[in-house]
């Protein structure tokens, strides 16, 4: 690392021009080629997936996305009025002529009376595309919207809903990222007191994230990548890009204050904190790539996108950052710090012992009362984790969107006119190869469904001549996200459908968007324990190799699980219980997004590992020199807690800024990550971890000899430095410690 830092420092113009070329090159390529993000969503082996496959084969014209056009008239009027009918029939006819529109079924055609509400004031039409929503050209979708909006009059309200329509309402990116960068700049300036030092982490993140996002746009042409990938990539990229640079710049500034030249300080910073950045970035990437073990195509694209941005953040921190350190020289220090050093040199003063600041005093308090403070930290985290026991995974639908969006208004109009379950009907796809007997069994099933508790309506169009596939639309009495709807699906699959199939060759699959959402949540829930075990286990193994310890990785694993439980407890209280959704105008309460744990946990565990590495690596460095555990913990906490807290505060600012994204998934991910980082840094790494290490004593650094000989060696701290000067400890009790196991 020292050689790399030296080369980048000496050839800083070359490094800078290379990065500028890469950024502008990917930007130009992305501008020319555009993007091809696609929400490829498959659940192999699930019943809803089988239902979709059968339907696509039997009814290709109906297997695409189905959206709705909903209209409502005022009191005293009816949707059957001649003027209303003429206006809407004309609009629907225009929609039917558009490319990729398969069928348009309205309320005025034969058999369409059921699409008019009982009071005659609300009606809807179904627009069925020939493709799924993610494969449709947005120009086609916008043309449908334009024709619907053109039909509006003062007495006729027209709204549109559905997955395809929702894609056009995705908020534009940029505002949240900009706010996050500004907030991070303020924190950095307060921490460093130097404009130049403040700019370095920001430039590092901008180059890494900018190159990454443009690269993802190009990569989307070759890899199936969901449209949420850029949002998540920028979310994690800004955080780690700024944090990694912050750790290196902090170590560089320390070298300058110790009297090193800018080149020597940069080499030492890269050879110590730079190694930790490589290790921390590697653990984040491993955690993210563990998404591939879930065997879900949607998550594979997210894993690739976020990993690319993290890798670029690490590369920028270890190449571009040393080059920029060469440009600013000693201006990495504040003007006051430079003047103080010049005055000391002029006076011939020698190096002073480090002053005991707030961090050192806090370390002394922790050393005296580790049990009490550890108990308080555990209690706080346990209380925050209580809501996690009612965690319910699901997919937020258009009923959770802000009321200003047309999809939310269409959703509410349909619920008002036809009942809450109308927005998420179940679609039973039936294979009837046995002729009359199977058809009779299917008709019997439809009759039974009509009287089944929880079912508002069951409709089965006649099976076309020569076809062996039938469809049954089942409208629940409860909303798509309701627990009762999930229970109805289980009841259909577990008892009602198997009873109808008995003694026949009839085969019925329960599908539809609501069933797909339930199956996705079930798949995620079933695979989540193994997924968590994998990323926590790999992280613990890496820490064991790095710090030659059994206790350190076990402690880190426990902290990761505690942080995860508490952060998801906050999410459940906020979004699922609805304690704060009105504050942020993110619609109404609903289940936690099914894919959120799979995205949040790798990021959370990776970022937690970052703080653990930077905290423990400094402790381990002192332990190697002194073999004094209490001193090592005290020195490590004193010298890293400020920078860790500063890094965490930046992360909190960046993640919290995604509240402004307007995207519910972005808001949920941003708040979840902001909360988890705050809890991890300010409670776990600042209180609980050092308190436990004080209590455990020398056993923190114990590793069986046979295991030590078999594990590879990895120097996270780099070559050892001279033992640090003793820390001033005005608040440390001079009497022998009474805590068992400490040295």
């Amino acid at each position: 690392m020292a050689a790399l830092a030296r080369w980048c420092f000496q050839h800083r113009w070359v490094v800078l021009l290379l990065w500028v070329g890469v950024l502008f090159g990917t930007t130009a390529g992305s501008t020319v080629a555009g993007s091809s993000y696609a929400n490829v969503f498959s659940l192999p082996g699930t019943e809803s997936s089988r239902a979709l496959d059968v339907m696509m084969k039997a009814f290709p014209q109906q297997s695409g996305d189905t959206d709705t056009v909903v209209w409502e008239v005022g009191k005293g009027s009816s949707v059957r009025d001649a003027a209303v009918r003429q206006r809407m029939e004309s609009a629907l006819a225009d929609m039917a002529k558009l490319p990729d529109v398969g069928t348009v079924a309205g309320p005025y055609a034969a058999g369409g009376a059921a699409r008019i509400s009982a009071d005659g004031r609300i009606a809807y039409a179904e627009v069925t595309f020939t493709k799924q929503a993610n494969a449709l050209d947005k120009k086609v979708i916008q043309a449908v919207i334009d024709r619907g909006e053109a039909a509006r009059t003062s007495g006729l309200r027209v709204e549109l809903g559905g997955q395809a329509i929702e894609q056009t309402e995705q908020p534009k990116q940029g505002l949240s990222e900009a706010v996050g960068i500004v907030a991070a700049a303020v924190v950095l300036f307060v921490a460093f007191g130097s404009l130049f030092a403040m700019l370095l982490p920001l430039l590092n993140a901008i180059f890494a994230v900018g190159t990454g996002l443009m690269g993802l746009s190009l990569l989307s042409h070759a890899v199936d990548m969901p449209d949420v990938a850029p949002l998540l990539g920028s979310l994690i990229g800004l955080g780690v890009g700024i944090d990694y640079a912050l750790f290196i710049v902090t170590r560089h500034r320390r070298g300058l204050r110790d009297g090193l030249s800018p080149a020597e300080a940069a080499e030492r910073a890269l050879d110590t904190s730079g190694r930790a950045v490589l290790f921390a970035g590697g653990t984040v990437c491993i955690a993210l790539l563990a998404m591939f073990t879930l065997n879900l195509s949607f998550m594979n694209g997210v894993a690739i996108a976020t990993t690319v941005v993290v890798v670029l953040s690490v590369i920028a921190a270890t190449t571009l950052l040393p080059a920029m350190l060469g440009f600013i020289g000693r201006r990495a220090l504040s003007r006051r710090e430079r003047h103080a050093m010049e005055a000391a040199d002029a006076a011939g003063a020698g190096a002073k012992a480090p002053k005991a600041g707030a961090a050192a005093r806090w370390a002394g308090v922790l050393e005296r009362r580790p049990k009490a403070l550890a108990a308080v930290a555990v209690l706080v985290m346990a209380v925050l984790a209580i809501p996690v026991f009612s965690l319910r995974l699901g997919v937020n639908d258009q009923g959770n969107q802000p009321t200003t969006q047309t999809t939310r208004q269409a959703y509410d109009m349909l619920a008002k006119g036809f009942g809450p379950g109308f927005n998420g009907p179940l679609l039973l796809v039936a294979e009837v190869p046995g002729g009359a007997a199977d058809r009779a069994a299917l008709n019997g099933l439809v009759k039974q469904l009509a009287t089944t508790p929880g079912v508002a309506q069951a409709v089965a169009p006649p099976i076309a001549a020569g076809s062996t596939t039938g469809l049954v639309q089942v409208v629940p009495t409860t909303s798509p996200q309701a627990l009762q709807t999930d229970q109805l699906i289980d009841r259909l699959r577990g008892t009602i459908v198997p009873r109808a199939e008995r003694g026949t060759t009839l085969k019925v699959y329960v599908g539809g968007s609501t069933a797909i959402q339930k199956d996705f949540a079930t798949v995620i829930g079933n695979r989540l324990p193994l997924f968590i075990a994998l990323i926590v286990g790999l992280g613990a193994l890496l820490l064991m190799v790095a710090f030659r310890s059994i206790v350190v990785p076990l402690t880190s694993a426990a902290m990761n699980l505690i942080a995860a439980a508490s952060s998801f407890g906050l999410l459940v209280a906020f979004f699922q219980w609805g304690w704060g959704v009105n504050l942020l105008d993110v619609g109404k309460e609903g289940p936690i997004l099914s894919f959120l744990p799979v995205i949040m946990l790798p990021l959370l565990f990776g970022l937690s590992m970052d703080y653990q590495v930077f905290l423990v690596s400094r402790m381990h460095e002192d332990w190697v020199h002194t073999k004094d555990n209490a001193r090592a913990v005290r020195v490590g906490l004193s010298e890293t807690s400020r920078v860790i807290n500063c890094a965490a505060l930046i992360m909190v600012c960046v993640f919290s800024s995604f509240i402004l994204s307007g995207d519910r998934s972005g808001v949920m991910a941003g708040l979840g990550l902001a909360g988890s980082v705050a809890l991890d840094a300010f409670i776990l790494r600042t209180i609980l971890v050092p308190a436990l290490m004080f209590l455990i004593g020398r056993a923190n650094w114990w590793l069986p000899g046979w295991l030590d000989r078999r594990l590879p060696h990895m120097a996270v701290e780099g070559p050892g430095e001279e033992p640090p000067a003793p820390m001033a400890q005005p608040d440390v009790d001079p009497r022998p410690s009474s805590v068992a196991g400490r040295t």
Side-chain angles (χ1 to χ4, degrees), residues 490-557:
D490 291 335
R491 194 159 63 250
L492 291 176
R493 290 173 172 174
T495 58
I496 297 175
V497 169
R499 190 181 302 129
E501 294 173 337
R502 194 173 302 150
T504 69
T505 57
L506 175 70
K507 186 62 181 176
V508 180
Y509 305 99
V510 180
S513 61
T514 302
I516 290 175
Q517 293 167 7
K518 173 179 165 51
D519 287 345
F520 182 64
T522 301
V523 169
I524 291 291
N526 291 340
R527 298 177 184 177
L528 202 55
L530 182 60
F531 176 71
I532 294 174
L534 176 65
I535 56 179
V536 172
L538 286 175
L541 180 61
L542 287 172
L543 286 177
M544 183 185 299
V545 172
F547 298 120
R548 325 304 294 177
S549 166
I550 294 291
V551 173
V552 168
L554 291 179
T555 303
S556 177

Side-chain angles (χ1 to χ4, degrees), residues 276-297:
V277 163
L278 282 177
F279 183 83
T283 59
V284 174
C285 291
I286 289 173
L288 292 171
L289 292 174
M291 293 185 199
F292 277 93
T293 62
L294 296 170
N295 193 29
L296 296 171
S297 57

Side-chain angles (χ1 to χ4, degrees), residues 286-469:
I286 289 173
L288 292 171
L289 292 174
M291 293 185 199
F292 277 93
T293 62
L294 296 170
N295 193 29
L296 296 171
S297 57
F298 181 86
M299 304 312 305
N300 294 347
V302 172
I304 293 172
T306 50
T307 300
V308 166
V309 179
V310 171
V311 169
L312 286 171
S313 298
V314 173
I315 294 174
T318 53
T319 57
L320 178 62
L321 187 59
M324 291 191 293
L325 290 174
F327 283 113
I328 66 173
R330 295 188 179 277
R331 285 173 294 181
L333 297 176
S334 67
R335 183 175 300 177
R336 178 181 298 178
E337 289 173 318
R338 296 198 303 271
H339 288 169
M341 291 179 63
E342 291 170 359
D345 291 341
K352 296 181 180 180
K355 294 182 179 180
R361 291 192 293 273
W362 174 248
V365 172
L366 266 180
E367 186 178 13
R368 293 197 303 274
R369 299 180 178 85
K371 292 182 179 179
L373 292 172
V376 171
V378 170
L379 179 62
V380 170
M381 299 299 284
V383 170
L384 293 176
I386 290 175
V388 82
F389 292 102
S390 62
L391 172 68
R392 180 168 168 255
L393 298 178
V395 178
N396 290 171
D397 57 26
Q398 288 152 18
N400 298 108
Q401 300 299 333
T403 55
T404 55
Q405 296 186 358
T406 186
T407 48
R408 170 63 186 276
Q409 294 179 43
Y411 183 101
D412 291 343
M413 287 167 63
L414 288 172
K416 175 183 175 182
F418 302 94
F422 193 81
N423 284 291
L426 306 177
L427 192 62
L428 276 58
V429 183
E431 294 179 316
V432 287
D438 285 353
R439 296 190 182 210
L442 181 58
N443 291 334
L445 174 61
V446 175
K447 291 180 181 179
Q448 182 181 358
L449 289 172
T451 60
T452 298
V455 174
Q457 183 183 21
V459 179
I463 299 176
S467 175
T468 58
T469 305

Side-chain angles (χ1 to χ4, degrees), residues 523-704:
V523 169
I524 291 291
N526 291 340
R527 298 177 184 177
L528 202 55
L530 182 60
F531 176 71
I532 294 174
L534 176 65
I535 56 179
V536 172
L538 286 175
L541 180 61
L542 287 172
L543 286 177
M544 183 185 299
V545 172
F547 298 120
R548 325 304 294 177
S549 166
I550 294 291
V551 173
V552 168
L554 291 179
T555 303
S556 177
M559 296 303 106
N560 286 339
L561 295 175
I562 292 172
S566 299
S567 60
F568 273 95
L570 289 175
L571 283 180
V572 169
F574 196 97
F575 289 97
Q576 187 175 315
W577 293 358
W579 285 5
V581 291
N582 291 331
L583 296 176
L584 300 178
D585 191 26
V586 288
K588 64 179 181 180
E589 67 276 6
I592 303 302
L593 295 172
S594 299
F595 65 84
L596 194 61
V598 180
I599 293 174
M600 265 189 61
L601 291 176
L603 299 183
L604 169 59
F605 292 166
L607 296 174
S608 298
M609 187 75 72
D610 290 354
Y611 299 143
Q612 183 79 352
V613 167
F614 286 107
L615 175 65
V616 179
S617 62
R618 188 64 189 89
M619 295 177 180
H620 188 252
E621 185 179 339
D622 197 86
W623 164 259
V624 169
H625 290 305
T626 66
K627 300 301 179 182
D628 184 339
N629 177 75
R631 174 193 160 88
V633 176
R634 193 169 58 245
V635 168
L637 182 61
S638 299
E639 295 191 8
T640 63
S641 63
R642 185 171 183 269
V643 69
I644 287 175
N645 290 338
C646 180
L649 185 58
I650 291 172
M651 284 280 201
V652 170
C653 291
V654 171
F655 292 152
S656 297
S657 70
F658 278 77
I659 295 173
L660 303 176
S661 68
D663 180 83
R664 186 180 176 90
S665 59
V667 174
M668 198 176 289
L671 282 181
L673 287 170
S676 64
V677 167
L679 293 172
D680 189 278
F682 302 139
I683 296 182
L684 296 183
R685 311 298 159 181
T686 303
I687 302 176
L688 189 55
V689 169
L692 291 176
M693 294 186 75
F694 276 127
L695 288 169
I696 295 171
R698 297 176 63 91
N700 284 310
W701 316 107
W702 174 78
L703 184 71

